[in-house]
Structure formats: C-alpha cells, structure tokens
Amino acid sequence: MVQPLILARTADPARTQALMAAGVHPLLARLWAARGLEQAGPTEWAALIPPSRLSHVDRAGALLADAIQDGRRLLIVADYDCDGATACAVAVRALREMGAQVGFLVPNRFETGYGLSPAVVELACRHPAGKPDLLVTVDNGIASIEGVAAARAAGIDVIVTDHHLPGPELPDALAIVNPNQSGCGFPSKHLAGVGVIFYVMLALRAALRARGALPPRGGPKLESYADLVALGTVADVVRLDANNRLLVGQGLRRIRQGRMQAGLAALFEVAGRDPARAGTDDLGFALGPRINAAGRMADMSLGIHCLLEDDPGRALELARALDEINRERRARETVMRDEALAHLDAQAQARAASVCVWQPGWHPGVIGLVASRLKETYWRPALAFAPGDDGTLRGSGRSIPEIHLRDALDLVSKRLPDAIVQFGGHAMAAGLTLRTAAFDAFAVQFDAAVRTLGGRESFEPRLDTDGPLEPDYLTVETACLLADQVWGAGFPPPLFRDRFRVLHQRLLKDKHLKLFLERDGLRLDAIWFNHADPLPDTIEAVYRLDCNTWGGRSTVQLLIEDARGAA
C-alpha cells in the first residue's frame, strides 16, 4: 500500500460558533464546519425538497395515475446493483399499494448487459405476467435510445427514471425524470436511483389524491420505505448532500426503531449487525454487498425478492441465500486479487502510472471489485478484465480523484481506433469491452493517457483528518454521538490524529493488530484491521472513534486508519 499524505481539515471559527450558538454539540459544530455546513441540516420530512422542483415528475405521476385507473399492466425494469434493487422494491411496493398491476424485470449482467436494451424489451414482451403496456425504468434508461425505440415499436410505452448523466441524445420516452437532465432545476443533483423513484411515487400519490382516487391525506405512507431509500443511497456512494442526509437519516431512524422491511431485518441478522445501532457503515459495508452479490454472481431478482418479502421466515431464507452468494463473491475476489498482484511485474509497475490486468479464468461480476482493490493498493487508475464473447475482454475500472476515468478511455479510443468496442462511465468508475488482441497496445496507451491527463507519472493518496481530538471526548458517549450522525460520500466520517504510547500489541487471526495505547494518562483499546506489522513504542495515529459493545458492556475503541513512528 502507498503511504498517504496526512492533511488536516480546517473549520471556520465563525461557522463553528454559529453552529454552537444554534445548540449543536461543540465537537459536532467543529466537524460540521470543517465540512462546509453553516447551519444544522434539516432532519424532518417537512424540509425535504418538494417533488414539484424535479422536472417532469408531475407528468410521470399523472401518466402512472392514468395507467392505474385504466388497468394497464406495468413492468419495472431495474438495474442489477443495490441502488437498482432498492429502487425496484420501492416502486413495486408503492405501486401495488396504489392499485397497480405491476411486476419487475432485471437484466442479467452476463446475458443482456446493463439497462433497457432491445434484448430486454424482448424479454419484457415474454414476461410471465404478460406483455406490459408500460415500462418504468429505475436507476437506468437515460442512455437507452435503442431500447426505448424498440419498446415503442412493440407497442409499449416507457417512463424513464434515472440519475446518471445524460448523453447528447435522450430516449423518446413519455417522461424522463432525472435531476441531471438539462433544464432540471432540482437543487440536489446527487439523488440516487432509489431517491428518484421515491420522488416519482410521491408525485403519483399526489396525482391520485387530486383526482379523488385517494382521500386527501390517504394512500400509502411512503415514508415507510425510507429504509430502502437509505440503503440504496448509501450503497450507491452518491454524495450525501443535505437532502440525501435527510433521506438517509429518516431511513436509519426507522431501522433503529425496528420499523423496517422484513428483508432488511433479515439482512441485518445474517450480517451479524445490530439494527438498533445501525449506521451508514452497516448499509454500505454489510447489507449493500449482500444485495450486490446477487447481481455480480447470479441474478439480482433474488435480492429484489428479499426486499419485497413480508414474511420474516421467508425473508430470512432469502437473506441467507444472499449471504452465501456473498461468501462465494468474497472468496472469488480474494483469489482474483492475489492472482492480479502475482501477475503484475514489480519493476514494470514501478514505472507505470496505471494498472491494467486480466486473467483467463476471471469472473466478470467481480472485476470491478478487483480493480478497486488494485487502485487502493497502488493508488493509481486500475482496470481489470475478464474474458467476454467473440474475442473480447470485459473490463471494469476504478480511478483516483486526479484522473477522470471516462475521459482517459475516450482519449485511448482516439489514439487507438478499433481497440475499444464500447465504453462508458464517469470520473471514478467505468466499464468497457476491448478486443483481446489489442490488450497490450491498449495497456500502453491507457498508461500514456493517464500521464497526459494527470500531468505526472505517479500519484500520492491523501488522508484528510480532523486534527487532534480533545482528551475529554475520548469517551463512549462521544463515540455514540458520532455513530448517530449520517456520514458518507461527500460528508466523510471524522478521522482524528494524535500521538500515543504503545503499551502492548498482538496479532489477531494473523492479520489484525490489536493495540493497547496511552495518551495523556488515558489507556485505550485500539485495533488496526488488515495490518500485521508491529509498531514502534511511540506513534502518531489517524483513527476513528468506535463504541465496542461486548457482553453487555460498552467501551470506547480506536479504529486505526494509519500509524507511523513519532519522535
């Protein structure tokens, strides 16, 4: 692993004082000010950005109301990740509560690929519930020009709900709801796919109320789906702006109160996590991967069925199946990662500005995770490939903040015509299909593109901290206070940096360093996961504050992110 450059965030004193004057805890005031907040963010539903500010959402709501009242058959077309699965579950649950005839279809990663394609339209026409009259995409569709055209040619209408960046041409759908489409004035451009469809369901309920089909304040309590919205939002790693933090906060509140879908409760159980203490880490690192594993290794329908199941016993069976698939995913990922590291030539890698690797037996559903591990290990853009069809490789990439990955692939496509069959993505992640015979030439050109765009040959990771933590805050109470907040992408959890004396250290399971530290007379437990090398007697550590509960007793624990010798 490349040793990071450790930096400190600065908190504007005026912002900190203003937050404290508003009643915010002094430590939270400092942390929030360092993340740009000038006032405490909204937490109640009344502060949610109103649906009317989302372009075309009222039209989508009216079209869905027409379809329900006319008895038309609806079909949700979902993406095969956790955002898509939760979005599908929200749509199906809400539509059924409002009287719709609705089913779902999720493309298979290995057969039809991503999004509403002509092949998916063919599947929709042969759906077991019958040919649909209206397709509703969730977390996909904004790039489905051919797929929407194929649907309309088959006599099927389409409503697109998506959050991905649109291209120069939009599909010819009846309505497109996407906060990132041109002309949309919705203030939060970071809604996940599940957030978008949640807004569409709010608009549909309003339309049915306006028509008298529902009582003025009647219809489904859509806030009951906040747990699903929170899971999809966190798992998709979208920026947690104020509106998203409100949505996630409401979802976590319901989960902690035990008012969640049976499928989520079952996922918490198989993951060994306590929903009463749920945080964004539980959603992003425990529940999300188990849902995603279905789309990576098998069929995302299993994950969606788990989220739709109301019977606790059946939900637990589905969650256990997802857990087993996730274990298989982890095992496959470990093998592939080790093969990648063994394959990469150390001297060549020392000269390279990127990582580009493939092996014949690799699983296409796991290459994105392998690319992510390689990016973290070498701190440079990484691409991992698996064999595709007809002499091609299917690749997935992850990048670092300095390199826009899609732009790098675009540059390679111009320098090396005919090597890339297709590609797409955004700054930090992308996918592509590459001709196998062109791999070596592609790797050279990709490395050159990274150097061109980055203006350098190597990159240094950075670790942003919140500086020292006052000794009085090294408590269980502070750890619980921080755990109750909504942290995530764009609003990172606090990291502190302090000097400690190492009183004792030992290895757990041959790979985790268990520590007993001392600072200013305080003795503290700490652990550094996936780090086996011993530390010197005095260290400067970057750490997170954690509440460790064992045998009914809670103690404060430091989760070490980085540590090095201090003079």
Side-chain angles (χ1 to χ4, degrees):
M1 296 286 286
V2 181
Q3 196 170 60
L5 175 67
I6 299 175
L7 302 171
R9 299 185 184 93
T10 56
D12 181 85
R15 286 181 176 176
T16 304
Q17 287 299 322
L19 287 164
M20 289 173 59
V24 176
H25 186 283
L27 177 58
L28 288 181
R30 173 165 76 87
L31 298 174
W32 288 356
R35 287 155 181 75
L37 289 193
E38 297 182 357
Q39 58 187 19
T43 60
E44 301 302 326
W45 285 114
L48 190 73
I49 298 172
S52 58
R53 301 193 65 181
L54 188 57
S55 292
H56 304 156
V57 74
D58 291 333
R59 173 167 171 74
L63 289 167
L64 288 169
D66 290 342
I68 291 172
Q69 293 182 320
D70 293 344
R72 303 180 76 200
R73 187 178 289 119
L74 278 61
L75 187 68
I76 307 300
V77 178
D79 188 13
Y80 43 62
D81 66 1
C82 187
D83 186 18
T86 52
C88 183
V90 167
V92 171
R93 283 183 171 277
L95 285 165
R96 284 177 179 170
E97 278 202 79
M98 288 185 270
Q101 302 178 51
V102 60
F104 74 87
L105 172 65
V106 58
N108 187 294
R109 180 190 296 264
F110 314 109
E111 296 172 3
T112 57
Y114 170 79
L116 178 63
S117 63
V120 170
V121 172
E122 288 185 24
L123 291 175
C125 290
R126 304 195 304 270
H127 195 271
K131 179 182 173 182
D133 302 301
L134 175 63
L135 298 178
V136 181
T137 72
V138 293
D139 193 32
N140 74 98
I142 195 65
S144 299
I145 312 298
E146 294 179 356
V148 172
R152 301 200 71 163
I156 304 172
D157 290 325
V158 182
I159 294 173
V160 168
T161 78
D162 200 352
H163 69 122
H164 296 98
L165 296 175
E169 184 182 358
L170 295 178
D172 185 22
L174 292 182
I176 298 176
V177 185
N178 184 331
N180 290 300
Q181 66 181 311
S182 177
C184 182
F186 194 73
S188 172
K189 300 298 183 182
H190 305 287
L191 272 183
V194 67
V196 176
I197 195 63
F198 180 74
Y199 267 88
V200 173
M201 294 300 100
L202 289 172
L204 168 59
R205 186 180 64 181
L208 290 172
R209 286 173 175 174
R211 299 178 185 196
L214 292 174
R217 300 185 64 83
K221 296 185 181 300
L222 296 176
E223 63 271 19
S224 66
Y225 306 136
D227 55 343
L228 294 168
V229 177
L231 173 57
T233 299
V234 172
D236 214 46
V237 203
V238 294
R239 178 178 290 274
L240 294 187
D241 57 20
N243 204 60
N244 278 339
R245 289 201 304 279
L246 189 159
L247 290 168
V248 172
Q250 286 288 340
L252 286 173
R253 181 183 300 180
R254 294 188 68 87
I255 291 169
R256 292 166 183 166
Q257 293 171 346
R259 297 187 298 155
M260 72 197 97
Q261 316 301 323
L264 262 73
L267 288 166
F268 268 97
E269 182 172 340
V270 299
R273 301 292 182 105
D274 181 6
R277 299 177 57 216
T280 50
D281 279 0
D282 297 297
L283 304 182
F285 299 113
L287 274 65
R290 285 167 169 81
I291 295 290
N292 277 326
R296 293 185 182 280
M297 307 296 293
D299 181 356
M300 182 50 88
S301 295
L302 179 64
I304 295 171
H305 280 300
C306 182
L307 299 177
L308 289 174
E309 183 57 58
D310 289 324
D311 178 74
R314 176 58 181 154
L316 186 57
E317 291 178 10
L318 294 168
R320 284 172 175 158
L322 291 170
D323 186 58
E324 187 59 37
I325 294 171
N326 192 50
R327 293 176 190 274
E328 178 191 350
R329 186 273 304 168
R330 281 203 302 256
R332 185 72 67 93
E333 179 189 346
T334 298
V335 169
M336 289 168 59
R337 182 196 62 212
D338 291 346
E339 288 178 353
L341 294 172
H343 177 77
L344 292 167
D345 176 76
Q347 289 186 337
Q349 252 347 104
R351 294 192 302 268
S354 63
V355 175
C356 201
V357 64
W358 79 281
Q359 290 289 289
W362 281 3
H363 193 292
V366 186
I367 51 176
L369 299 173
V370 172
S372 182
R373 301 291 186 190
L374 294 174
K375 182 262 291 186
E376 293 294 334
T377 299
Y378 294 103
W379 198 252
R380 59 195 67 176
L383 292 169
F385 293 84
D389 301 321
D390 303 322
T392 64
L393 298 173
R394 296 174 62 178
S396 184
R398 299 293 184 270
S399 194
I400 57 178
E402 295 91 336
I403 301 297
H404 193 296
L405 191 53
R406 189 195 178 283
D407 288 353
L409 293 175
D410 186 51
L411 185 56
V412 175
S413 72
K414 294 178 172 64
R415 291 177 172 177
L416 200 65
D418 301 325
I420 301 177
V421 178
Q422 61 181 14
F423 69 95
H426 49 83
M428 301 299 286
L432 71 157
T433 302
L434 177 72
R435 301 191 193 284
T436 305
F439 177 81
D440 291 338
F442 170 85
V444 171
Q445 289 297 329
F446 180 68
D447 196 71
V450 169
R451 294 169 190 262
T452 298
L453 294 176
R456 59 180 116 163
E457 298 183 356
S458 62
F459 305 92
E460 187 176 25
R462 54 183 285 170
L463 198 56
D464 291 307
T465 79
D466 293 287
L469 179 63
E470 296 84 342
D472 289 347
Y473 291 144
L474 285 165
T475 64
V476 172
E477 291 74 20
T478 304
C480 291
L481 172 71
L482 296 178
D484 282 342
Q485 311 308 309
V486 176
W487 311 101
F491 202 77
L495 288 175
F496 303 104
R497 181 183 185 183
D498 285 298
R499 183 173 295 201
F500 298 92
R501 193 158 62 94
V502 179
L503 302 178
H504 180 70
Q505 55 186 311
R506 61 186 174 88
L507 270 184
L508 293 179
K509 300 180 179 178
D510 296 323
K511 62 178 182 177
H512 309 306
L513 192 60
K514 180 66 176 174
L515 300 157
F516 195 41
L517 307 176
E518 187 270 335
R519 176 193 168 202
D520 297 328
L522 290 173
R523 298 192 171 192
L524 301 153
D525 285 318
I527 189 167
W528 193 350
F529 289 110
N530 298 308
H531 181 93
D533 298 330
L535 295 174
D537 292 340
T538 303
I539 61 171
E540 190 168 77
V542 176
Y543 62 94
R544 295 174 60 179
L545 212 57
D546 182 53
C547 182
N548 185 33
T549 301
W550 181 258
R553 180 173 174 266
S554 294
T555 58
V556 68
Q557 178 178 244
L558 310 186
L559 304 181
I560 306 297
E561 298 282 337
D562 184 273
R564 51 194 77 173

